Amino acid sequence: MINIRNLSVKCGRCNTYQTLCEFKQGEEWNLYTYECESGPCDPELSRTIVEVPSDLDQFANRDPEWKGGRRHAGAEE
Ligand SMILES: [Zn+2]
């Protein structure tokens, strides 16, 4: 199983943690979109999309109503 909250996504340009800003549940893959929020990067240009196989996605399976929008910076909560 993969729990997205155990991952941290860092920007290759500004080297700060990116914030989870969007979640899309798909048939085979769940898509998590991360953006630079406080760094110097334009969020439009720094967006990272992480794909997790939906049957391994522990976080989405445990909380299927969750649609994103929660602040998330790495593994800290
Ligand atoms: Zn950045």
Side-chain angles (χ1 to χ4, degrees):
M1 294 298 269
I2 297 166
N3 189 329
I4 194 76
R5 290 165 113 184
N6 292 337
L7 301 182
S8 61
V9 177
K10 237 178 174 183
C11 177
R13 289 177 71 204
C14 68
N15 205 39
T16 59
Y17 290 107
Q18 296 193 318
T19 305
L20 179 56
C21 62
E22 197 185 345
F23 167 67
K24 275 196 192 123
Q25 194 149 25
E27 286 277 306
E28 294 179 35
W29 297 89
N30 294 331
L31 271 58
Y32 293 86
T33 304
Y34 289 80
E35 285 177 0
C36 279
E37 218 181 35
S38 51
C41 300
D42 184 340
E44 295 291 330
L45 302 176
S46 63
R47 200 161 281 156
T48 301
I49 297 173
V50 177
E51 292 185 316
V52 179
S54 44
D55 48 349
L56 295 180
D57 192 339
Q58 186 180 36
F59 185 43
N61 286 333
R62 192 167 51 181
D63 191 3
E65 298 303 310
W66 187 77
K67 295 283 189 289
R70 275 177 71 180
R71 290 179 156 260
H72 174 75
E76 45 197 296
E77 180 69 38

